[in-house]
């Protein structure tokens, strides 16, 4: 039996229309900060307190690269701002950090390359759908400025994202539930989607697809390991990659025993059939690895397992999961374990998720108990080169991301109510465009404040790492 009462489509449409009284669609243009808006630098400093101190300067250095790099690392700043905006009350599983670089290609379990959201560190249940839309739209406004696009070209990309979201959620509202659940963008759909791209761009895209299809554990094995006789070890490249024995002052046998215990703990969170597969692999080595922009400073490990023989590797990424940046405004997550919060949110929003998603708890090298989620390190992962996009390319990519986000929300929220709320017109699109432009201005002011904090010595930054 369904866990809650199932409303009729008419009742769900009525709920969507009623939400307009709580937050008229044009109200989403509001971005003016309150007089008591929290200091963005203080928000980032509070985040830094939970991160590895020696890696925090690298995080700051990467955020210092550009206003867009800052935006990528400042999800906590925007979460505080979004909490102060009007809310439709139409709740979904939020990605929490739905900027344009957190979409990409990866291998589905059926080994087909698909396009979807690919970062769920900040996912949280029960937030209004428009928070993700605003995060996405503003990222296109910020990125457009970084690319030197004209104001009209910037607006076209933002509008494309908002309009694509609205149209796709309306299309999905008319489909059967199972059809919505199985809906996804595969390589063939991407090819059709990009059919109007210039031949050189299309050729480059297809080369990127071919590269992504071969970005797997075998490639990671070739790139990230070395052989010492019959022994395989992950390479040392500090501070970006540091083997575990260089960090943990214990004997190799003690480290291996501890890691075996943790791997077994993780295996228990897998589906039984996948656990049967995972049981064929044995632990070999582990290393700490610096990843991303906003994630720098969180504990992230890569673990090498071997299966049938020395040429059958499985690389897992074990990434620290702290509370979502949305938690202070939406309340506690459904799951007490933050790693499980990430995994279950990903499974709910993605059309197809990594077989090896799981979670575990472990004591860090600082003696503090941490929570982690686990996934494959590389599994056909690929992304679009934003820096090389022209205005038309960016507009098409914005549409693709907008549609993809709508599918994630349709799986987790009431797509019929959201579609009814948005309507057929462009009122919501225009409001989102105004918001994105205003927030890009705010982001530039925050970036300048961040830069001043680095220049004054308030924040330490290590660049070019």
């Amino acid at each position: 039996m369904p866990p809650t009462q199932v409303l009729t489509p008419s009742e769900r449409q009525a709920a969507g229309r009623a939400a307009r009284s709580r937050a008229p669609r044009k109200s989403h243009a509001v971005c003016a900060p309150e007089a008591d808006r929290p200091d963005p630098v203080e928000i980032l400093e509070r985040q830094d307190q939970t991160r590895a101190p020696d890696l925090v300067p690298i995080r700051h250095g990467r955020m210092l690269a550009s206003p867009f790099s800052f935006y990528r690392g400042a999800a906590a700043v925007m979460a505080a701002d979004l909490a102060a905006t009007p809310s439709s009350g139409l709740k979904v599983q939020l990605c929490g950090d739905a900027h344009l670089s957190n979409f990409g290609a990866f291998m589905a379990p059926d080994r087909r390359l698909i396009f979807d959201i690919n970062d769920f560190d900040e996912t949280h249940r029960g937030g209004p759908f428009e928070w993700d839309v605003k995060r996405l739209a503003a990222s296109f406004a910020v990125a457009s400025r970084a690319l030197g696009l004209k104001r009209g070209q910037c607006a076209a990309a933002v509008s494309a994202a908002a309009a694509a979201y609205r149209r796709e959620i309306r299309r999905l509202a008319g489909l059967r539930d199972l059809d919505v659940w199985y809906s996804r963008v595969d390589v063939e759909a991407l090819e059709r989607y990009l059919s109007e791209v210039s031949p050189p761009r299309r050729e480059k895209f297809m080369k990127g697809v071919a590269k992504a299809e071969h970005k797997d554990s075998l490639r990671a094995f070739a790139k990230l390991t070395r052989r010492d006789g019959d022994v395989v070890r992950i390479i040392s490249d500090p501070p970006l990659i540091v083997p575990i024995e260089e960090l943990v002052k214990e004997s190799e046998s003690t480290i291996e025993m501890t890691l075996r215990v943790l791997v077994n703990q993780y295996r228990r969170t897998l589906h039984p059939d996948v656990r049967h597969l995972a049981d064929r692999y044995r632990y070999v080595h582990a290393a700490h690895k610096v990843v991303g922009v906003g994630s720098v400073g969180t504990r992230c490990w890569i673990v090498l397992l071997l299966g049938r023989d020395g040429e059958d590797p499985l690389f897992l990424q074990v990434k620290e999961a702290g509370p979502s940046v949305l938690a202070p405004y939406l309340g506690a997550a459904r799951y007490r374990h933050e790693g499980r919060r990430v995994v279950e949110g990903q499974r709910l929003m993605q059309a197809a998720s990594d077989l090896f998603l799981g979670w575990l708890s472990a004591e860090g090298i600082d003696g503090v108990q941490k929570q982690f989620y686990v996934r494959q390190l590389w599994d056909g992962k690929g992304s679009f080169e934003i820096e090389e996009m022209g205005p038309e390319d960016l507009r098409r990519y914005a549409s693709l991301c907008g549609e993809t986000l709508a599918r994630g929300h349709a799986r987790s929220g009431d797509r019929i109510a959201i579609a009814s709320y948005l309507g057929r017109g462009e009122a919501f699109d225009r409001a989102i465009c105004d918001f994105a432009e205003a927030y890009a201005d705010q982001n530039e002011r925050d970036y300048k404040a961040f830069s001043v904090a680095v220049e004054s010595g308030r924040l330490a930054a290590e660049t070019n790492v």
Side-chain angles (χ1 to χ4, degrees), residues 6 9 22 41 92 98 117 160 189 194 201 247 254 301 330 412 417 431 460:
V6 178
R22 291 193 297 270
V41 177
V92 297
I117 306 169
L194 299 172
R201 292 283 187 191
L247 292 170
T254 300
W301 299 85
L330 298 178
S412 65

Side-chain angles (χ1 to χ4, degrees), residues 48 53 55-61 64 450 453-454 457-462:
D48 292 344
L55 297 180
V56 167
I58 297 177
R59 181 192 189 214
H60 294 163
L64 198 60
F450 176 76
V454 171
R458 177 179 174 182
L459 299 176
E462 187 175 349

Side-chain angles (χ1 to χ4, degrees), residues 11 30 34 50 149 191 196 200 241 306 339 349 418-419 448:
E11 290 171 328
V30 174
E34 299 291 335
T50 63
L149 301 188
E191 290 177 354
E196 298 178 9
I241 303 177
L306 287 177
M349 291 192 72
I418 296 173
K448 289 178 181 177

Side-chain angles (χ1 to χ4, degrees), residues 232-424:
V232 181
R233 287 291 180 262
I234 299 171
I235 61 172
S236 178
D237 183 22
L240 301 183
I241 303 177
V242 184
I244 189 169
E245 63 270 14
E246 297 179 21
L247 292 170
V248 180
K249 305 306 179 184
E250 298 283 355
S251 67
E252 187 171 336
S253 60
T254 300
I255 292 174
E256 182 171 344
M257 182 177 65
T258 301
L259 266 294
R260 287 180 184 278
V261 170
L262 293 177
V263 169
N264 287 334
Q265 180 193 147
Y266 149 71
R267 282 173 168 148
R268 289 196 291 270
T269 68
L270 298 172
H271 290 303
D273 58 329
V274 181
R275 189 184 312 145
H276 181 75
L277 171 62
D279 286 343
R280 299 174 183 270
Y281 289 85
R282 59 184 175 85
Y283 167 78
V284 174
H285 200 209
H288 189 273
K289 190 175 189 299
V290 175
V291 294
V293 176
S295 295
V296 177
T298 56
R299 287 76 178 170
C300 182
W301 299 85
I302 54 175
V303 178
L304 172 61
L305 307 173
L306 287 177
R308 175 180 178 273
D309 53 30
E311 303 299 327
D312 182 15
L314 173 62
F315 257 108
L316 297 178
Q317 182 185 66
V318 183
K319 193 173 182 184
E320 182 182 355
S324 167
V325 296
L326 302 178
Y329 317 104
L330 298 178
R334 177 180 179 183
Y335 301 101
R336 293 182 180 180
H337 195 289
E338 298 293 349
R340 186 176 183 185
R341 169 187 60 79
V342 174
V343 169
E344 300 293 3
Q346 181 169 344
R347 287 173 175 167
L348 184 56
M349 291 192 72
Q350 280 185 332
S353 295
D354 186 348
L355 281 178
F356 288 95
L357 281 176
W359 60 91
L360 59 86
S361 300
E363 185 177 291
I365 57 177
D366 55 2
V368 178
Q369 191 78 2
K370 305 288 183 183
Q371 296 177 339
F372 299 84
Y373 70 92
V374 184
R375 63 184 178 184
Q376 292 184 71
L377 176 62
W378 290 347
D379 192 26
K381 295 180 177 66
S383 59
F384 286 75
E385 298 294 336
I386 307 299
E387 297 80 7
E388 300 181 8
M389 288 188 180
E392 274 301 297
D393 297 328
L394 193 67
R395 183 184 64 79
R396 291 190 182 93
Y397 182 65
S399 293
L400 179 60
C401 291
E403 289 183 6
T404 301
L405 181 61
R407 279 190 288 276
H409 286 175
R411 289 169 61 90
S412 65
D414 189 337
R415 66 190 187 278
I416 295 176
I418 296 173
S420 177
Y421 174 81
L422 295 177
R424 297 181 182 276

